[in-house]
Each structure stands twice: as structure tokens, then as C-alpha cells.
Amino acid sequence: MKRNQTIAIEFFLLGFGGLHGLQIPLFLLCLLIYVLCLIGNLIIIALVSSSHLLDSPMYFFLCHLTVCDMLLTTDIVPSLLHIILRNGRAMSFPECVTQYQFFGVSTGTECLLLTVMSYDRYLAICRPLSYVPTMGTKLRHLLAFGSWGLIFSITLIIAVLMSRLNFCGENIIDHFFCDFVPILQLSCSDTRLLQTINLILTAPVTLLPFMTIIFSYVCITVVIMKVPTVTGRQKAFSTCSSHLTVVSIYYLSLIAIYMVPTSGRSMTALKVLSLIYTVVTPFLNPLIYTLRNQEIKAIFVKIVCLKWKNLET
């Protein structure tokens, strides 16, 4: 009977609440960001797919990163728009667990892909002679699809364990999406084992990638500083500046939400940070890669000019 009640239970996501006159502006802003995010990421995928000049491991991994961003925003934003308009939303337990799993897959895979991209930059700058033979087609596919497969397996295990929880009381989630901690806080089951398993499975794929990225960029910085000319150093650093900017924004968001103590912070502040992390950051990523990457900008301008000339003729 408890199992049937667990499946049938509905959670109610409060969202931001008390928006009053800000409801429509916030709805339109989130919708605009979502549409621009999809367009920006699709443009990057189209550019990389259509130009042989962007046929390199770095841009191959970038395409996978854009898929992560689109998956994350598509998982969160449509539900968020409904919550904003209706001042909340009822969501069944299976829906909630599914949303959490897609959230986990997109964010976890992004962690690993950013690490793979930092390794790619490390090889290109610190080990240039071995870069091409090392980062071949086989390895890049193994790293990219292996990242997806590993994170999907981890989140699936956690989702299955979450589906076995019982809920027999409060069903209100003071958030705009189903995150791991809010769901566990509402359960009347003993969640200590699940929390331990979650920590064991997720800590290595968040902390180890972060440490690897730091190590890679320390090595890259050391090599760049040895370049004799300022122009040479600037040129060497420009090849990884876009990735470093994305890494900084991504991990600062993660640290602010999940690693800084929550005592003394209001739920509104946490929701705003989560909004930046799940909606704004995926929107900024394609802008950073297009505005700070000379190769992508050059290909984009070339294609636009070519299309414009075809229209004129």
C-alpha cells in the first residue's frame, strides 16, 4: 500500500512565489533566454558540422557540451515557465524523479566534458608533438560517449533507489525543479543509505574532474609563461581562454549552490543562484565560445557573407 501511495503522490513546486507584477516579465525573460540558448547552441553544432576547418577534437567535444546545455535547459525551463504563470506546479513522483535524472545527466556529463576539454588543451599546448596521434578519432569518441554513459549509469542507479522511497506527509517543494535534497527531505523513509550511495557515486565525478582541470591549467600556464614573446603568450592563451571562462562560470555556480553552507541564506537567494546555473549559464556558453573564439567567429562571418551574396544574386 505504501508503494502505491509513493507512486501516486504529487509534489507541488512553489517556484518563486509572490511575484505579483513581475510574473509576465520574468516569464518572457526566461522564454527569451531559452529560445536564444537553443538557437546559439544549434548554431555552434551547425558551424562545427559544416566546416572542415573546425574538424578537431576541441570542437567535437564542444558539440557534446552544447547538447548538455540544451538538455539541461529543456529539462528545467518549460516546467519553470509553467510554474511562473501558474504560481506553482503539481508534478507526479515519477515526473519528479525523471526531471532529476535528466538534470543529473546533463550537469554531470558537463563536468566530465569540461575535464576532457581541459585535457585536450593540455595535450595541444604542453605535448604538441603527441597531440595528433594521441587524440585520434577513437579516443575522442571514447572520452565523449564514455562521459555520457558513466553519468547516465550513476544517475539511473540513484533514480531507481529514489523511486523506492515512501512519502507520507508534506509534499511541497520550495524550489522550481526537483533536486536531490528537497525530494529526500520530504521522504518518511530512512534516506541515510541513499545519501551515502549518492556521495560515493557522485563525489568522484565532480571533485576529481575539478582537480584535473586545475592541474591541466597550472601546467598550461607554466608552458605559456615560458613563451619568449608577449604576442606568443597571448596567442597560446587565446586557444583555451573560452574554455577557461566557461569552466570558471560553471564551477563557481556549482560551488555557490552546493558547497557553500546554506545557513544564513534565504531560499530566494538559493533559487536565484539555481536559476543562473540552470538557465543563464547554458545561455552564456555559446556566446562565450562565439565571441571569444576567433575560428568560430571567422567561420560564422564567412557563412553569413556567403548566404547574403547568394540571396543578392
Side-chain angles (χ1 to χ4, degrees):
M1 185 62 182
K2 283 186 177 180
R3 180 64 181 159
N4 291 335
Q5 288 175 349
T6 298
I7 294 174
I9 193 173
E10 277 192 338
F11 294 120
F12 189 81
L13 281 73
L14 292 178
F16 290 94
L19 290 173
H20 306 299
L22 296 175
Q23 227 173 342
I24 300 303
L26 182 59
F27 174 87
L28 293 175
L29 178 62
C30 289
L31 179 61
L32 177 63
I33 290 176
Y34 177 54
V35 172
L36 292 177
C37 174
L38 292 182
I39 293 173
N41 284 299
L42 287 173
I43 286 174
I44 288 178
I45 293 174
L47 290 175
V48 173
S49 302
S50 61
S51 175
H52 69 279
L53 297 175
L54 301 179
D55 183 19
S56 69
M58 181 176 70
Y59 296 113
F60 173 77
F61 297 133
L62 177 58
C63 284
H64 282 267
L65 194 69
T66 60
V67 173
C68 281
D69 286 335
M70 289 191 291
L71 178 62
L72 176 60
T73 53
T74 301
D75 182 48
I76 300 295
V77 176
S79 175
L80 172 61
L81 295 175
H82 183 278
I83 290 170
I84 293 172
L85 278 185
R86 301 293 183 179
N87 290 314
R89 182 197 171 188
M91 184 180 287
S92 70
F93 180 60
E95 282 182 288
C96 211
V97 172
T98 301
Q99 186 185 52
Y100 166 73
Q101 184 176 2
F102 278 104
F103 167 76
V105 168
S106 55
T107 53
T109 304
E110 186 150 345
C111 277
L112 296 188
L113 287 174
L114 288 173
T115 307
V116 168
M117 292 173 76
S118 70
Y119 173 65
D120 175 78
R121 293 298 83 206
Y122 164 78
L123 283 179
I125 294 173
C126 302
R127 301 284 187 270
L129 296 179
S130 62
Y131 176 68
V132 174
T134 301
M135 194 59 74
T137 303
K138 185 177 180 179
L139 180 60
R140 74 176 78 167
H141 280 86
L142 178 64
L143 291 172
F145 293 108
S147 298
W148 284 103
L150 176 61
I151 298 299
F152 180 82
S153 300
I154 290 173
T155 54
L156 182 61
I157 291 171
I158 296 171
V160 169
L161 293 174
M162 287 173 67
S163 68
R164 303 178 67 86
L165 295 174
N166 292 313
F167 299 89
C168 43
E170 187 76 25
N171 70 332
I172 295 176
I173 297 178
D174 190 10
H175 212 327
F176 61 85
F177 73 96
C178 294
D179 206 351
F180 181 74
V181 174
I183 295 176
L184 262 61
Q185 287 175 341
L186 297 180
S187 175
C188 54
S189 302
D190 185 351
T191 61
R192 286 176 295 181
L193 178 60
L194 177 53
Q195 291 182 63
T196 302
I197 293 173
N198 178 69
L199 181 63
I200 292 171
L201 291 177
T202 59
V205 296
T206 52
L207 296 178
L208 289 179
F210 184 55
M211 294 168 63
T212 302
I213 290 171
I214 291 176
F215 175 77
S216 298
Y217 274 99
V218 167
C219 294
I220 289 170
T221 302
V222 169
V223 171
I224 289 176
M225 294 307 295
K226 291 180 180 178
V227 176
T229 63
V230 174
T231 304
R233 287 196 295 268
Q234 290 176 342
K235 184 178 180 181
F237 189 74
S238 68
T239 62
C240 55
S241 60
S242 299
H243 178 249
L244 186 57
T245 304
V246 170
V247 166
S248 301
I249 294 174
Y250 184 79
Y251 273 99
L252 283 174
S253 302
L254 272 181
I255 291 168
I257 296 169
Y258 295 107
M259 298 182 187
V260 175
T262 57
S263 58
R265 289 196 300 183
S266 67
M267 276 305 300
T268 302
L270 289 173
K271 291 175 191 176
V272 170
L273 286 171
S274 296
L275 189 67
I276 293 171
Y277 170 54
T278 57
V279 180
V280 178
T281 301
F283 162 70
L284 291 176
N285 287 352
L287 287 178
I288 292 169
Y289 276 109
T290 52
L291 294 178
R292 295 181 62 89
N293 189 295
Q294 298 299 325
E295 290 179 318
I296 288 183
K297 281 198 295 185
I299 296 298
F300 180 74
V301 170
K302 182 180 178 181
I303 291 176
V304 169
C305 292
L306 185 62
K307 294 293 183 182
W308 182 258
K309 286 181 180 178
N310 289 338
L311 288 174
E312 287 182 335
T313 56

Coordinates of all heavy atoms in Angstrom, one line a residue, residues 108-147:
G108 N 26.2 16.4 -14.8 CA 27.4 15.5 -14.5 C 28.2 15.3 -15.8 O 29.4 15.3 -15.7
T109 N 27.5 15.1 -16.9 CA 28.3 15.0 -18.2 C 29.0 16.2 -18.5 O 30.2 16.1 -19.0 CB 27.3 14.6 -19.3 OG1 26.6 13.4 -18.9 CG2 28.1 14.3 -20.6
E110 N 28.5 17.4 -18.2 CA 29.2 18.6 -18.5 C 30.5 18.7 -17.7 O 31.5 19.2 -18.2 CB 28.3 19.8 -18.2 CG 28.9 21.1 -18.6 CD 27.9 22.2 -19.0 OE1 26.7 21.9 -19.3 OE2 28.3 23.4 -19.1
C111 N 30.4 18.3 -16.4 CA 31.6 18.2 -15.6 C 32.7 17.4 -16.3 O 33.9 17.9 -16.4 CB 31.3 17.6 -14.2 SG 30.6 18.7 -13.0
L112 N 32.4 16.2 -16.7 CA 33.4 15.4 -17.4 C 33.8 15.9 -18.7 O 35.0 15.8 -19.1 CB 32.8 14.0 -17.6 CG 32.4 13.2 -16.3 CD1 32.1 11.7 -16.7 CD2 33.6 13.2 -15.3
L113 N 32.9 16.5 -19.5 CA 33.3 17.0 -20.8 C 34.2 18.2 -20.6 O 35.2 18.4 -21.4 CB 32.1 17.4 -21.6 CG 31.2 16.3 -22.2 CD1 29.9 16.8 -22.8 CD2 32.0 15.5 -23.2
L114 N 34.0 19.1 -19.6 CA 34.9 20.2 -19.4 C 36.3 19.7 -19.0 O 37.3 20.3 -19.4 CB 34.3 21.1 -18.3 CG 33.1 22.0 -18.7 CD1 32.5 22.6 -17.4 CD2 33.4 23.0 -19.7
T115 N 36.3 18.6 -18.3 CA 37.6 18.0 -17.9 C 38.3 17.4 -19.2 O 39.5 17.6 -19.3 CB 37.3 16.9 -16.9 OG1 36.6 17.3 -15.8 CG2 38.7 16.3 -16.4
V116 N 37.5 16.8 -20.0 CA 38.1 16.2 -21.2 C 38.6 17.3 -22.1 O 39.7 17.2 -22.7 CB 37.0 15.4 -22.0 CG1 37.5 15.1 -23.4 CG2 36.7 14.1 -21.3
M117 N 37.9 18.5 -22.2 CA 38.4 19.6 -23.0 C 39.6 20.2 -22.4 O 40.5 20.7 -23.1 CB 37.2 20.6 -23.1 CG 36.0 20.1 -23.9 SD 34.6 21.3 -23.9 CE 35.2 22.5 -25.0
S118 N 39.7 20.2 -21.1 CA 41.0 20.8 -20.5 C 42.1 19.8 -20.8 O 43.3 20.3 -21.0 CB 40.8 20.9 -19.0 OG 40.7 19.7 -18.3
Y119 N 41.9 18.5 -20.8 CA 42.9 17.6 -21.1 C 43.4 17.8 -22.6 O 44.5 17.7 -22.9 CB 42.4 16.1 -20.9 CG 43.4 15.1 -21.4 CD1 44.6 14.9 -20.8 CD2 43.0 14.2 -22.4 CE1 45.5 13.9 -21.2 CE2 43.8 13.2 -22.9 CZ 45.1 13.1 -22.3 OH 45.9 12.1 -22.7
D120 N 42.4 18.0 -23.4 CA 42.6 18.3 -24.9 C 43.5 19.5 -25.0 O 44.5 19.5 -25.8 CB 41.3 18.5 -25.6 CG 41.5 18.9 -27.0 OD1 41.9 18.0 -27.9 OD2 41.4 20.1 -27.4
R121 N 43.2 20.6 -24.3 CA 44.1 21.8 -24.3 C 45.4 21.6 -23.8 O 46.4 22.1 -24.2 CB 43.4 22.9 -23.6 CG 42.1 23.5 -24.2 CD 42.3 24.0 -25.6 NE 42.3 23.0 -26.6 CZ 42.9 23.1 -27.8 NH1 43.6 24.2 -28.1 NH2 42.8 22.1 -28.6
Y122 N 45.5 20.7 -22.7 CA 46.8 20.4 -22.1 C 47.7 19.7 -23.1 O 48.9 20.0 -23.3 CB 46.6 19.5 -20.9 CG 47.8 18.8 -20.4 CD1 48.8 19.4 -19.7 CD2 48.0 17.4 -20.7 CE1 49.9 18.8 -19.2 CE2 49.2 16.8 -20.3 CZ 50.1 17.4 -19.6 OH 51.3 16.8 -19.1
L123 N 47.1 18.7 -23.8 CA 47.9 18.0 -24.8 C 48.3 18.9 -26.0 O 49.5 18.8 -26.4 CB 47.1 16.8 -25.4 CG 46.9 15.6 -24.6 CD1 46.1 14.5 -25.3 CD2 48.3 14.9 -24.2
A124 N 47.4 19.8 -26.4 CA 47.7 20.6 -27.6 C 48.8 21.6 -27.2 O 49.6 22.0 -28.1 CB 46.4 21.4 -28.0
I125 N 48.9 22.1 -26.0 CA 49.8 23.2 -25.6 C 51.1 22.6 -25.0 O 52.2 23.0 -25.3 CB 49.2 24.2 -24.7 CG1 48.1 24.9 -25.4 CG2 50.2 25.2 -24.1 CD1 47.3 25.9 -24.6
C126 N 50.9 21.6 -24.1 CA 52.1 21.1 -23.4 C 52.7 19.9 -24.1 O 53.9 19.6 -23.8 CB 51.6 20.6 -22.0 SG 50.9 22.0 -21.0
R127 N 52.0 19.1 -24.9 CA 52.5 18.0 -25.6 C 52.1 18.0 -27.1 O 51.5 17.1 -27.6 CB 52.0 16.7 -25.0 CG 52.3 16.5 -23.5 CD 53.7 16.0 -23.3 NE 54.0 15.7 -21.9 CZ 54.4 16.6 -21.0 NH1 54.5 17.8 -21.3 NH2 54.6 16.2 -19.8
P128 N 52.5 19.1 -27.8 CA 52.1 19.3 -29.1 C 52.5 18.2 -30.1 O 51.7 17.9 -31.0 CB 52.7 20.7 -29.5 CG 53.8 20.8 -28.6 CD 53.4 20.2 -27.3
L129 N 53.6 17.6 -29.9 CA 54.1 16.6 -30.8 C 53.3 15.3 -30.7 O 53.2 14.5 -31.7 CB 55.6 16.3 -30.6 CG 56.5 17.5 -30.9 CD1 58.0 17.0 -30.6 CD2 56.4 17.9 -32.3
S130 N 52.8 15.0 -29.6 CA 52.0 13.8 -29.4 C 50.5 14.0 -29.4 O 49.7 13.1 -29.3 CB 52.3 13.2 -28.0 OG 52.0 14.0 -27.0
Y131 N 50.1 15.3 -29.7 CA 48.7 15.6 -29.7 C 47.9 14.9 -30.7 O 46.9 14.2 -30.4 CB 48.5 17.1 -29.8 CG 47.0 17.6 -29.9 CD1 46.2 17.5 -28.8 CD2 46.5 18.1 -31.1 CE1 44.9 17.8 -28.9 CE2 45.2 18.5 -31.2 CZ 44.4 18.3 -30.1 OH 43.0 18.7 -30.1
V132 N 48.3 15.0 -32.0 CA 47.5 14.4 -33.1 C 47.4 12.9 -33.0 O 46.3 12.3 -33.1 CB 48.1 14.8 -34.4 CG1 47.4 14.1 -35.6 CG2 48.0 16.3 -34.6
P133 N 48.6 12.2 -32.7 CA 48.4 10.7 -32.6 C 47.7 10.3 -31.4 O 47.0 9.2 -31.4 CB 49.9 10.2 -32.6 CG 50.7 11.4 -32.2 CD 50.0 12.6 -32.7
T134 N 47.7 11.0 -30.3 CA 47.0 10.7 -29.1 C 45.5 10.9 -29.1 O 44.7 10.0 -28.9 CB 47.6 11.4 -27.8 OG1 49.0 11.1 -27.7 CG2 46.9 11.0 -26.6
M135 N 45.2 12.1 -29.5 CA 43.8 12.5 -29.6 C 43.2 12.2 -30.9 O 42.7 13.0 -31.6 CB 43.6 14.0 -29.2 CG 42.2 14.4 -28.9 SD 41.4 13.6 -27.5 CE 42.3 14.3 -26.1
G136 N 43.2 10.9 -31.2 CA 42.6 10.5 -32.5 C 41.1 10.3 -32.4 O 40.5 10.5 -31.4
T137 N 40.5 9.8 -33.5 CA 39.0 9.6 -33.5 C 38.6 8.7 -32.5 O 37.5 8.9 -31.8 CB 38.6 9.2 -34.9 OG1 39.1 10.1 -35.9 CG2 37.1 9.0 -35.0
K138 N 39.3 7.6 -32.3 CA 38.9 6.5 -31.4 C 38.8 7.1 -29.9 O 37.9 6.8 -29.2 CB 39.8 5.3 -31.5 CG 39.4 4.1 -30.6 CD 40.3 3.0 -30.8 CE 39.9 1.8 -30.0 NZ 40.8 0.6 -30.2
L139 N 39.9 7.8 -29.5 CA 40.0 8.3 -28.2 C 38.9 9.3 -27.9 O 38.3 9.4 -26.9 CB 41.4 8.8 -27.9 CG 41.6 9.4 -26.5 CD1 41.3 8.3 -25.4 CD2 43.0 10.0 -26.3
R140 N 38.7 10.3 -28.9 CA 37.8 11.3 -28.6 C 36.4 10.8 -28.5 O 35.6 11.3 -27.7 CB 37.9 12.4 -29.8 CG 37.3 12.0 -31.1 CD 37.3 13.1 -32.1 NE 38.6 13.3 -32.7 CZ 38.9 14.0 -33.8 NH1 37.9 14.7 -34.4 NH2 40.1 14.1 -34.3
H141 N 36.0 9.8 -29.3 CA 34.7 9.1 -29.2 C 34.6 8.4 -27.8 O 33.5 8.4 -27.2 CB 34.5 8.2 -30.3 CG 34.0 8.8 -31.6 ND1 34.9 9.3 -32.5 CD2 32.8 9.1 -32.1 CE1 34.3 9.9 -33.5 NE2 33.0 9.7 -33.3
L142 N 35.6 7.7 -27.4 CA 35.6 7.0 -26.2 C 35.4 8.0 -25.0 O 34.6 7.7 -24.1 CB 36.9 6.2 -26.0 CG 37.1 5.5 -24.7 CD1 36.0 4.4 -24.6 CD2 38.5 4.9 -24.6
L143 N 36.1 9.1 -25.0 CA 36.0 10.1 -23.9 C 34.7 10.8 -23.9 O 34.1 10.9 -22.8 CB 37.1 11.2 -24.1 CG 38.6 10.7 -23.9 CD1 39.5 11.8 -24.3 CD2 38.8 10.3 -22.4
A144 N 34.1 11.1 -25.1 CA 32.8 11.8 -25.1 C 31.7 10.9 -24.7 O 30.9 11.2 -23.8 CB 32.6 12.4 -26.5
F145 N 31.6 9.8 -25.4 CA 30.4 8.9 -25.2 C 30.6 8.1 -23.9 O 29.6 7.7 -23.2 CB 30.3 7.9 -26.4 CG 29.9 8.6 -27.6 CD1 30.7 8.7 -28.7 CD2 28.6 9.1 -27.8 CE1 30.4 9.4 -29.9 CE2 28.2 9.7 -28.9 CZ 29.1 9.9 -30.0
G146 N 31.9 7.9 -23.5 CA 32.1 7.3 -22.1 C 31.6 8.2 -21.0 O 31.1 7.7 -20.0
S147 N 31.8 9.5 -21.2 CA 31.3 10.5 -20.2 C 29.7 10.4 -20.1 O 29.2 10.4 -19.0 CB 31.7 11.9 -20.6 OG 33.1 12.1 -20.6

